[in-house]
Amino acid sequence: ALIEEVSAEDAARLISDGEGRWLDCRNEEEFQESHIPGAQLLPLARLRGDAPFLDAQRTYVVYCRTGLRSDCAVFLLRERGLHAVSLAGGLCGWPYGLTADV
């Protein structure tokens, strides 16, 4: 399957082990309002054009608000040969802390 989802616990473990990197595929306003600390913003609308600039040696843990956009983003990234997984449930299911750009 081109779309793989991971739980919040597994995603946090990928990040803390240094295997993964957060990728927020929401828009800039949503990102500024709240995001997972350390996340890189790459809106879904820009993903096709900017995917070549991502590190092919990384695993990207992609998220959005509910998981729908991140599933699309994971599909597009995997089509381009990148390893990406989607955070199951998106931020709505994220039990840990968020940060905001003020």
Side-chain angles (χ1 to χ4, degrees):
L2 284 179
I3 299 171
E4 178 185 350
E5 290 188 339
V6 295
S7 68
E9 296 79 16
D10 289 341
R13 191 172 17 264
L14 277 170
I15 301 301
S16 68
D17 290 348
E19 295 177 39
R21 182 171 184 178
W22 291 117
L23 194 64
D24 187 322
C25 68
R26 300 174 302 152
N27 64 48
E28 189 169 344
E29 293 80 24
E30 291 173 297
F31 183 82
Q32 289 175 354
E33 190 176 293
S34 68
H35 57 271
I36 295 173
Q40 174 183 346
L41 175 64
L42 181 54
L44 183 58
R46 290 193 353 232
L47 194 130
R48 285 183 177 99
D50 290 353
F53 301 107
L54 295 175
D55 184 353
Q57 304 304 311
R58 291 280 225 181
T59 296
Y60 290 94
V61 181
V62 187
Y63 71 89
C64 63
R65 190 176 70 81
T66 63
L68 295 175
R69 285 178 282 181
S70 57
D71 284 353
C72 293
V74 166
F75 179 85
L76 293 170
L77 291 170
R78 286 187 167 212
E79 271 190 329
R80 286 152 179 78
L82 295 163
H83 187 250
V85 295
S86 179
L87 177 63
L91 288 182
C92 288
W94 181 247
Y96 308 114
L98 298 174
T99 191
D101 294 342
V102 179

